[in-house]
Each structure stands twice: as C-alpha cells, then as structure tokens.
Amino acid sequence: MSAPRTVLLTGAAGGLGTLMRGLLPAYGYQLRLLDARPIEGEPEAITADLGDREALREAVRGVDAVIHLAAISLESTFEKILQSNIAGTHHLYEAVREEGIRRVVFASSNHAVGFTPRPEGEPPIPPERLIRIDTPRRPDTYYGLSKCFGEDLAQLYWDQHGVETVSIRIGSCFMEPTTVRMLSVWMSPGDGARLFHAALTAEPVGHTVVYGSSANTRLWWDLEPARALGYEPQDDSEQFAAKLVAEQGELQPGRRDHAYLGGHFITTPPHWPH
Ligand code: NAI
Ligand code: 15L
C-alpha cells in the first residue's frame, strides 16, 4: 500500500503511546492522538473513551491507518477488561470498517501466550527451539485473554470485511529492561518504532501476527515473522544483562514465575490501578 501518512494513535497518553509520539513523526507520519485521559501539551488530542462510538468514528475519519494501543494494559476484573479491551476494541474495528480505513496495527501482548513454557538452556536458543508464532494461545490472565480476542477480531475483520491488521505480541517496551526476564522479551523504543513502521507499510499483510522485541541475545521467540514485514531490529538487551543478573540472579527453572513466557503474570499479575 502507499505509505500511510495520517495515523490515529489510540492510547496516546500511555507509556508506549508517549514513546511512539516522540519517535514516529520522524518516519513521516502525522499522528492524530486519542486517549481517555487528556494529554498534556497536546491541545488537539481527542479525549474519548473506547466506549464512545460516535467519537471513535469521528477520530478515524480520514486517517490512512490506526495504531491501536488504548487498553487496560495489566490485569483487572473481567468486567473492566470486557468494557475497555474487548468491547472497546470491537467499537474501534466497527469505526474502522464504517469509515473504510484499510489497516490497523493492534498492540497484542506476550500475555496472549503467557502460559507457554519458556525455552530453557544457555542463550542463544537455537532457532528450532524458539517459540513459534503459531504456538497454541495460552493466556495467563483476563488481560492476556483480551489480547487473544483482539487477534481473533482482527482475523474476522480481515476475512469478513477486508480490514488488514498486523497484531504485534509486544514483549516489554520500556526505555530499559528492569528484570532478568525482560532481557529475553525487551523491545527498545527505537525498535518499537521500527516495527510499527514496518507494520504500517508492509505489503500484503491480511492479518499477520508477529512477536515484538529487539534482537536480544536471550530471545525466547521467533522474530522471523516480524522480519518478513521488513523489520530490522537494531538493539539487544544484553548490554543490561550483567547489572540485572548481579542484582537478581539468573532465572531458575524450579520457580513457577520463571518457568513461563508470562513471568510473574502467572503467579502475581500486576493490577491496573484505575
Ligand atoms: P499504558 O497503560 O501506559 O497506556 C494505555 C493507555 O490506554 C492509557 O493512557 C489509558 O488511559 C488508555 N486507555 C485505557 N482504556 C481506555 C479506554 N477505554 N478508552 C480510551 N483510552 C483508554 O499501557 P502501555 O504500556 O502504553 O501499553 C500500550 C498498549 O500496548 C496496550 O494495549 C498494552 O496492552 C500493549 N502492550 C504494551 C506492552 C509494553 O511493554 N508497554 C507490552 C505488551 C503489550
Ligand atoms: C504487557 O503486556 C504489559 O502491558 C506491560 O506493562 C508489561 O508488563 C509487559 O506486558 C511485560 O510482559 O513485561
């Protein structure tokens, strides 16, 4: 497709939204911002909840693509997840369909497959032992379950309505990894922007699901589907490894919160504070 220029960024007030607001304009995108919370210093940003279908329809009108980040991004009650992540994502796709928008980039999560055992052994894990993108989904929380729903919704909207989506099962996109687990799943902000750009411009995608991380030495999953979109990661978390391992020790196979992709979401999921 011709490179999209105007892109609606939902969840623009959040952590990842703030990072991408800073990085994506350098790729030539004009961002339209939306969040339930007002965004400081952005008077033109749309303040709207995903429950407001009219506002969503207006927000997507005329854009070339949507990056959909808005969500409860941690565990919560089923009712709250149902409202924001499940019904909210459906409302967004309905607005996209009604307004004829061609492509969505959906922020899925590693927690859609969080109960997948992590590959054990010395890094680097050989390619044949990396977790593949078609591994059965095993959500670790209602949050992870909502990301499974989002991926299936994206598939339905491609099959039934021709709306394209790249679903990115993001690992941990923060300035730096803060745990030993994150050394395996970290996506640097710069690589995040590279991957969103690839997901916006690759051709053809139908509905494509990829893992999203940097090219970490301690990688657990297969980055080939993301590379097939044109993504060329530049970063590796290994520069942070010595410090984190000295502070926290290596992951232990006997510990349940170390044994699965989802880490501590398996045992003590962090809860959305609102
Ligand atoms: P965040 O919690 O910092 O930001 C989420 C934003 O969505 C918030 O600004 C919030 O106000 C907004 N939001 C929540 N419910 C809404 C609703 N009903 N209507 C409108 N806005 C709503 O989360 P973060 O870290 O920025 O994550 C962004 C997206 O990426 C989320 O979908 C998250 O699940 C996904 N993700 C993020 C990862 C990361 O490492 N940051 C890892 C995996 C997935
Ligand atoms: C996620 O899905 C969360 O949104 C993010 O806050 C991190 O907890 C990340 O996963 C992770 O697994 O580190």
Side-chain angles (χ1 to χ4, degrees):
M1 77 189 226
S2 60
R5 288 196 53 77
T6 310
V7 175
L8 175 70
L9 182 70
T10 75
L16 187 54
T18 301
L19 291 170
M20 293 307 122
R21 273 194 277 140
L23 293 168
L24 286 174
Y27 289 83
Y29 299 113
Q30 279 198 321
L31 298 179
R32 191 181 289 178
L33 310 176
L34 180 145
D35 202 289
R37 299 183 287 156
I39 306 175
E40 219 182 299
E42 296 285 358
E44 289 183 10
I46 302 160
T47 304
D49 192 275
L50 293 171
D52 184 344
R53 302 182 74 151
E54 256 319 298
L56 287 184
R57 218 173 143 168
E58 258 180 60
V60 303
R61 193 164 297 146
V63 299
D64 298 315
V66 177
I67 299 178
H68 180 42
L69 305 182
I72 290 175
S73 61
L74 299 169
E75 183 58 317
S76 190
T77 62
F78 182 72
E79 288 69 26
K80 286 184 182 171
I81 294 274
L82 180 62
Q83 196 180 349
S84 273
N85 295 16
I86 296 180
T89 300
H90 175 243
H91 295 155
L92 192 267
Y93 270 86
E94 273 295 278
V96 160
R97 179 188 65 77
E98 287 164 352
E99 292 296 327
I101 311 306
R102 186 168 157 199
R103 185 170 298 186
V104 177
V105 179
F106 170 59
S108 183
S109 170
N110 69 88
H111 298 289
V113 289
F115 257 115
T116 307
R118 71 172 172 90
E120 287 180 10
E122 285 298 306
I125 303 295
E128 66 277 9
R129 290 184 52 229
L130 292 173
I131 299 170
R132 288 168 51 92
I133 201 66
D134 60 358
T135 195
R137 285 198 303 223
R138 301 178 75 171
D140 53 27
T141 42
Y142 291 136
Y143 165 65
L145 185 64
S146 74
K147 296 301 184 179
C148 296
F149 172 84
E151 291 182 8
D152 281 347
L153 188 74
Q155 186 66 49
L156 175 68
Y157 272 68
W158 166 244
D159 288 334
Q160 201 162 60
H161 304 298
V163 174
E164 300 176 325
T165 298
V166 177
S167 293
I168 305 178
R169 289 180 185 161
I170 302 168
S172 303
C173 189
F174 301 100
M175 289 305 290
E176 290 187 8
T178 53
T179 65
V180 172
R181 166 183 171 268
M182 276 195 201
L183 294 171
S184 295
V185 299
W186 182 61
M187 181 161 71
S188 70
D191 280 343
R194 281 182 266 279
L195 182 49
F196 279 116
H197 176 55
L200 286 168
T201 51
E203 191 77 85
V205 296
H207 175 225
T208 299
V209 187
V210 304
Y211 293 112
S213 72
S214 288
N216 302 316
T217 299
R218 299 175 186 230
L219 201 62
W220 288 339
W221 54 46
D222 183 9
L223 273 184
E224 283 313 311
R227 289 183 193 276
L229 298 175
Y231 171 56
E232 292 180 16
Q234 305 292 310
D235 296 317
D236 182 342
S237 63
E238 204 56 20
Q239 58 180 306
F240 304 101
K243 177 174 173 281
L244 288 172
V245 171
E247 288 167 1
Q248 301 171 14
E250 293 284 2
L251 296 181
Q252 294 164 27
R255 274 182 59 167
R256 194 166 157 78
D257 59 337
H258 288 186
Y260 298 94
L261 199 58
H264 65 294
F265 277 60
I266 301 297
T267 49
T268 48
H271 276 252
W272 175 257
H274 311 299

